[in-house]
C-alpha cells in the first residue's frame, strides 16, 4: 500500500518561482555612453533590479526598483526586453526581466539597505565590473542595441 507524502516531504519538493525586473541604465556625457552598475550589500556587482510586487507590470516594477535603489527617474527605450533564468537555490527558479533605460543625469543615490555603491562606467569597464556572465551578456546586447 502506497502512503501519502507528509507535508514536510511535499514542501521539500515544492519549487518556488521568483521574478525580478529592472534595467540596463545608461546616460551620455560628452559623447560617451556610461552605464550604471550597483555594488550590492551582499558583495556582487549587478544591474538595477528587484522583485515584482503583487499587481505590478514588469515595467512598473523596473521603474519602482530604479527609483528605490537609485533615486533616478528614467525613460525606457522601446524594443529592448531580455530575460535571464537561473536557480538561486535548490528549490527556486528565478526569472529576471531587464529593459533598457536612459537617465538624463547621473545624480543617483544608493539605497543603503540593498546597495553599497553606485558607479557610472564606460561600457568596457561596466562589463568588467559585473559579477555574472549572464548580466554581462545583457549589457553587451543593450550596448549593441543602442549602436543600432
Amino acid at each position: 500500500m502506497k502512503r501519502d507524502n507528509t507535508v514536510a516531504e511535499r514542501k521539500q519538493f515544492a519549487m518556488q518561482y521568483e521574478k525580478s525586473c529592472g534595467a540596463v541604465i545608461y546616460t551620455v556625457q560628452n559623447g560617451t555612453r556610461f552605464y550604471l552598475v550597483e555594488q550590492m550589500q551582499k558583495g556582487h556587482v549587478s544591474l538595477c533590479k528587484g522583485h515584482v510586487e503583487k499587481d505590478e507590470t514588469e515595467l512598473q516594477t523596473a521603474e519602482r526598483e530604479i527609483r528605490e535603489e537609485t533615486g533616478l527617474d528614467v525613460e525606457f527605450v522601446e524594443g529592448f526586453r531580455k530575460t535571464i533564468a537561473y536557480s538561486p537555490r535548490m528549490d527556486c527558479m528565478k526569472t529576471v526581466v531587464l529593459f533598457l533605460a536612459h537617465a538624463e543625469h547621473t545624480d543617483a543615490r544608493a539605497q543603503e539597505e540593498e546597495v553599497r555603491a553606485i558607479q557610472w562606467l564606460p561600457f568596457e569597464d561596466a562589463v568588467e565590473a559585473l559579477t555574472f556572465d549572464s548580466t554581462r551578456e545583457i549589457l553587451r546586447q543593450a550596448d549593441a542595441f543602442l549602436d543600432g
Side-chain angles (χ1 to χ4, degrees), residues 27-46:
T27 194
V28 178
Q29 293 185 341
N30 300 322
T32 301
R33 203 178 294 141
F34 291 87
Y35 293 94
L36 184 142
V37 297
E38 299 178 335
Q39 181 175 18
M40 307 309 291
Q41 291 294 358
K42 293 179 180 179
H44 64 286
V45 177
S46 188

Side-chain angles (χ1 to χ4, degrees), residues 32-99:
T32 301
R33 203 178 294 141
F34 291 87
Y35 293 94
L36 184 142
V37 297
E38 299 178 335
Q39 181 175 18
M40 307 309 291
Q41 291 294 358
K42 293 179 180 179
H44 64 286
V45 177
S46 188
L47 301 171
C48 185
K49 65 185 182 314
H51 288 95
V52 175
E53 292 183 358
K54 46 186 167 186
D55 294 328
E56 287 181 322
T57 66
E58 292 175 346
L59 277 171
Q60 287 170 334
T61 299
E63 186 174 35
R64 177 184 51 77
E65 285 293 334
I66 292 165
R67 200 173 306 111
E68 286 176 3
E69 291 185 7
T70 70
L72 293 171
D73 288 315
V74 298
E75 184 176 323
F76 290 96
V77 177
E78 295 248 347
F80 188 91
R81 180 189 179 276
K82 302 294 178 182
T83 60
I84 301 169
Y86 65 98
S87 179
R89 56 187 184 277
M90 206 150 118
D91 63 342
C92 182
M93 279 305 297
K94 183 169 186 171
T95 301
V96 178
V97 177
L98 291 165
F99 298 99

